[in-house]
Amino acid sequence: MKSIRLLALAATLVLGYAVAAAAAPVCNKKIESFDFVVDYSGSMMMHNKDLKMVKMEAAKTALKRVNAAIPALDYYGGLHTISPNGAIIEQSPWNRAAMDSGINQLKSDFTIFGRMTNMGDGLQVYSPAFNAMKKPGAIILVTDGDNNRGVDMVEIARQLYASQRGVTLHIISFADTPTGEATIKAIAALNPSTVVVRGEDLVNSDAAVERFVLAVFCQEESVIVLRGVNFAFDSYALDGKAMGILNEAAELIKANPNKRVVLTGWTDSLGTDAYNAKLSQNRANSVKSYLAKQGIPASRMTAIGKGKSYKYDNKTEEGRYMNRRTELSFD
């Protein structure tokens, strides 16, 4: 079954991926291996003004959130640092708990001044290790883009692509200078498959973590993601934004006249199981009724209430909002 996810970010219609209602998505593997490569330079020990914390501490938080959301599949994983270079976890079968422990070992109290950044040299040193990665592989570079000593980081990235097939550089960016931004943009421009995400977004947003993990770790499928059809607390009423998105969904369904549609409703974790089972069914029914008014035969649609969802963090308002959703899939 291919899923169409109704998530809470923006009222836009975009290509997406199938995601199960779990702490980490279930998907088809896009890569066989990955390596977190962390900028350990002095500038990463400085404060991020938006998060009001040291950039390296923010990087650790972002990496832990990404690690927690990686699908439970048989990837190989590693964790390395640059400037100075060091191996915290060599490439080996990925284990979520072991990677989390490795991320905790990253330090954020190194001296800031007098420690020049030679990211290009560091990437060059790791070239043989990257070449030995199981392919296809992903190098996830965590950096603010500063590279003020040694060989040019962009040139080394270019050489990496020229000498190795099946490896893609992705970037978790903490850039806070024009030079750093320019470096990251130049690296991203080398490969259309590169995913760049702001580190602050990974720290603050479950949805940003999900999008990044799906894009890097999961094989793209021929599905559509509809974002914005969510519900207020204890409600199954559709607002104007949701109706606009469902109008587009109706056109999509009409374009696939031979497929049945399954509508699955979810709630957050507040309330009793019995109450939430009924509420989630009402939410699925609400979407079904609206689509029927748009010309989709009710006989083509099945509405299912699944009750409580734990896909997103129910301890936060954002997480609870994103759990109060309906998923639409073709059967």
Side-chain angles (χ1 to χ4, degrees):
M1 181 184 292
K2 293 181 177 179
S3 296
I4 297 173
R5 299 297 162 178
L6 309 182
L7 305 178
L9 275 190
T12 54
L13 182 63
V14 295
L15 286 176
Y17 306 81
V19 186
V26 175
C27 67
N28 294 321
K29 287 169 62 177
K30 182 177 184 178
I31 58 174
E32 293 297 325
S33 65
F34 68 95
D35 209 296
F36 293 131
V37 180
V38 182
D39 181 349
Y40 232 16
S41 65
S43 62
M44 286 293 289
M45 306 301 151
M46 296 180 178
H47 272 73
N48 178 289
K49 64 179 181 180
D50 294 326
L51 296 174
K52 294 180 173 57
M53 62 193 302
V54 173
K55 281 187 275 186
M56 182 52 62
E57 284 298 324
K60 290 171 66 174
T61 299
L63 287 175
K64 287 170 71 70
R65 283 168 59 78
V66 168
N67 183 55
I70 294 173
L73 300 172
D74 57 341
Y75 299 103
Y76 271 64
L79 173 61
H80 293 79
T81 64
I82 290 181
S83 198
N85 281 33
I88 296 177
I89 298 177
E90 296 284 10
Q91 277 286 308
S92 55
W94 169 70
N95 175 278
R96 197 185 310 278
M99 181 61 74
D100 197 65
S101 178
I103 294 168
N104 282 333
Q105 295 177 41
L106 292 169
K107 299 182 182 300
S108 59
D109 58 355
F110 286 139
T111 301
I112 295 174
F113 301 104
R115 295 180 60 240
M116 304 295 284
T117 304
N118 53 353
M119 291 290 290
D121 295 81
L123 280 176
Q124 193 171 43
V125 168
Y126 284 138
S127 183
F130 296 154
N131 191 47
M133 290 174 66
K134 289 181 175 292
K135 307 298 190 301
I139 300 168
I140 302 172
L141 184 61
V142 185
T143 182
D144 60 11
D146 281 349
N147 185 56
N148 51 26
R149 186 178 70 177
V151 297
D152 178 53
M153 182 162 55
V154 179
E155 178 56 33
I156 295 304
R158 184 179 291 109
Q159 292 176 17
L160 180 71
Y161 282 130
S163 63
Q164 300 178 27
R165 295 290 183 264
V167 172
T168 303
L169 273 168
H170 305 289
I171 303 173
I172 298 175
S173 172
F174 285 94
D176 52 7
T177 66
T179 300
E181 289 278 7
T183 297
I184 288 171
K185 288 180 180 179
I187 293 175
L190 297 175
N191 190 327
S193 297
T194 292
V195 178
V196 179
V197 63
R198 290 295 308 178
E200 296 91 339
D201 292 340
L202 295 181
V203 170
N204 289 322
S205 171
D206 289 342
V209 172
E210 180 189 55
R211 291 199 309 274
F212 181 74
V213 168
L214 289 173
V216 173
F217 290 86
C218 295
Q219 186 66 47
E220 186 173 348
E221 300 179 8
S222 300
V223 300
I224 299 294
V225 177
L226 304 172
R227 304 189 186 278
V229 180
N230 292 76
F231 299 87
F233 177 71
D234 198 28
S235 172
Y236 52 90
L238 296 169
D239 60 19
K241 183 173 76 170
M243 292 178 186
I245 294 169
L246 290 176
N247 289 340
E248 296 186 58
E251 295 304 314
L252 172 68
I253 295 169
K254 291 174 183 177
N256 293 271
N258 297 321
K259 294 182 179 179
R260 290 188 52 79
V261 176
V262 178
L263 303 165
T264 307
W266 297 92
T267 72
D268 60 31
S269 64
L270 301 179
T272 67
D273 290 345
Y275 182 82
N276 279 298
K278 181 178 179 180
L279 180 59
S280 65
Q281 184 66 54
N282 286 338
R283 286 174 175 166
N285 290 341
S286 180
V287 172
K288 179 180 178 180
S289 296
Y290 186 84
L291 290 173
K293 293 177 182 177
Q294 309 313 306
I296 308 301
S299 60
R300 285 187 61 191
M301 297 183 286
T302 301
I304 302 172
K306 286 287 190 177
K308 297 179 181 180
S309 168
Y310 296 89
K311 177 173 175 54
Y312 300 100
D313 185 359
N314 279 296
K315 295 179 181 179
T316 69
E317 178 55 38
E318 179 191 24
R320 290 191 295 273
Y321 176 75
M322 293 175 69
N323 279 327
R324 299 193 295 265
R325 70 194 188 280
T326 296
E327 298 173 352
L328 187 158
S329 57
F330 285 119
D331 195 0

